[in-house]
Amino acid sequence: MKKALLALGLLAVFALGALAWALQQHPSLQPYADLRWKVPAGGEAPPPVKVTFLGVSTVLLDDGETALMTDGFFSRPGKLQTFLGKVEPDMQAITQGLRRAGLPGETGRLAAVIPVHSHYDHAMDAPEVARRMGALLLGSESTANVGRGWGLAEAQIRVAKLGEPQRFGRFTATLFASRHAPTGFTGGEVTAPLHPPVRASDYKEGQSYALHVEHGGRTLLIVGSAGFEPGALRGVQADVVLQGIGALGPRPESYRDALWTEVIAAVGARRVIPIHWDDFWQPLGRPMQPMPPPLDAFDVSMAYLRERGARDGVDVRLPLEWQAMDVWAGLSARR
């Protein structure tokens, strides 16, 4: 009996060690060098709208006068803390992230922080970012309760109405219904003010969104998860889609085809930029790496996007990290 228990114990230790090792094995980005966004040459004029990927589904849009940000997630608690402990905004990481994004101390220029749903890796830091920047926290009732639990003033909280355009400077932002990728974390609502530190699982999805942005005739759609609401984007047009691909690879090809049809094809996108592929347990200062295979299938997602984009004439690009992009560069004007 003792030998059997000892053997089981050793097997468990071995299994945990193997899992810990596997979770550190990130897919290489080298096979996608041809898809990586080219770093702009020095001396080029800045784009009319700068789009900067800050990791996970945090994206900064900035025209020099007004800025919008999705999610605003910078804390990146580690795996053990996320699964076994409690999480809360990391004030130092938020300071570091805002400084690196070029926003420190510029209260008023960031008009809104818009979490695309209310999981911790999207909405946890958003109230603190909004508080520091004097920005509006815009999102679902679940996101509003995340803000209330953090003590954000009610005047800085707005519950979005689906399909209602909202003007911020020269940006027009409209939120359409979407869904989280089908995983064990999908669904649920934050029904009361959430006071961190709490379990990561206490940050329920709430309403997921696809954020449509228009600026001077340029159109962009940000979809922070590999999910979709059938028919929700009918009649919506966007030249560029920043598409979350986390958990897309393990889904069957029929699901990937449905996502392409309901999002990319539905809006007539001519360029797709994958987001939410990086390992968000990596500390903020490290280079981004794809989520390890036990938790995702990055190479499968990228192979699908590469093949489908080539077939449909849609340009697929991996984004620059923490560097501004003109995501519409090279796209001809629509007739």
Side-chain angles (χ1 to χ4, degrees):
M1 185 67 175
K2 289 183 178 179
K3 288 183 178 180
L5 290 174
L6 179 61
L8 285 174
L10 290 173
L11 184 61
V13 170
F14 175 79
L16 287 172
L19 178 60
W21 177 85
L23 289 174
Q24 298 302 318
Q25 308 310 303
H26 299 89
S28 173
L29 290 170
Q30 186 56 40
Y32 313 103
D34 60 315
L35 303 182
R36 298 302 297 269
W37 202 276
K38 302 299 185 289
V39 177
E44 292 184 4
V49 179
K50 294 185 289 186
V51 178
T52 309
F53 174 54
L54 308 180
V56 198
S57 295
T58 295
V59 178
L60 177 65
L61 313 176
D62 190 350
D63 68 359
E65 297 175 0
T66 307
L68 302 177
M69 181 183 287
T70 55
D71 294 359
F73 177 65
F74 303 110
S75 289
R76 293 176 169 260
K79 297 180 183 71
L80 287 178
Q81 182 181 354
T82 300
F83 289 114
L84 302 178
K86 294 185 177 182
V87 298
E88 63 183 330
D90 181 330
M91 306 299 272
Q92 183 176 351
I94 293 171
T95 297
Q96 179 186 352
L98 291 174
R99 181 182 298 120
R100 193 173 178 189
L103 288 173
E106 294 194 38
T107 301
R109 190 158 69 90
L110 184 64
V113 184
I114 310 172
V116 294
H117 60 264
S118 300
H119 284 156
Y120 85 97
D121 55 319
H122 298 267
M124 183 174 75
D125 292 350
E128 177 61 18
V129 173
R131 186 192 67 78
R132 294 190 190 190
M133 296 289 100
L136 183 71
L137 178 66
L138 175 65
S140 68
E141 186 66 36
S142 291
T143 289
N145 277 323
V146 173
R148 291 171 185 134
W150 189 246
L152 186 66
E154 197 68 32
Q156 284 183 255
I157 299 172
R158 182 183 300 171
V159 176
K161 295 181 180 179
L162 290 172
E164 179 181 79
Q166 303 196 51
R167 190 82 175 180
F168 300 100
R170 289 179 286 170
F171 290 99
T172 300
T174 309
L175 289 163
F176 294 93
S178 187
R179 295 181 186 176
H180 192 273
T183 68
F185 303 102
T186 302
E189 303 281 341
V190 182
T191 58
L194 191 63
H195 303 281
V198 295
R199 297 283 186 185
S201 57
D202 290 332
Y203 286 90
K204 306 298 184 183
E205 176 188 354
Q207 174 67 61
S208 281
Y209 297 110
L211 171 64
H212 184 270
V213 178
E214 188 276 335
H215 185 290
R218 299 172 183 83
T219 51
L220 174 71
L221 187 74
I222 301 175
V223 186
S225 181
F228 57 91
E229 181 70 42
L233 297 174
R234 189 174 295 118
V236 177
Q237 181 273 318
D239 290 320
V240 180
V241 175
L242 274 66
Q243 175 66 60
I245 63 169
L248 179 62
R251 308 272 76 76
E253 186 160 359
S254 60
Y255 181 89
R256 295 192 285 272
D257 285 339
L259 176 71
W260 186 278
T261 298
E262 291 286 349
V263 180
I264 311 304
V267 302
R270 294 182 287 161
R271 175 169 291 152
V272 175
I273 301 173
I275 59 173
H276 206 337
W277 48 262
D278 56 310
D279 183 347
F280 48 79
W281 292 299
Q282 294 290 304
L284 190 65
R286 293 186 186 175
M288 294 182 198
Q289 295 179 295
M291 191 66 76
L295 301 173
D296 202 358
F298 175 74
D299 290 325
V300 174
S301 298
M302 292 304 299
Y304 178 83
L305 292 177
R306 188 196 290 272
E307 186 278 330
R308 188 63 188 261
R311 188 201 316 171
D312 291 5
V314 176
D315 185 41
V316 176
R317 301 274 198 100
L318 277 171
L320 291 175
E321 303 160 15
W322 294 90
Q323 295 186 66
M325 301 174 288
D326 178 358
V327 299
W328 298 273
L331 298 180
S332 59
R334 285 185 183 266
R335 296 179 180 178

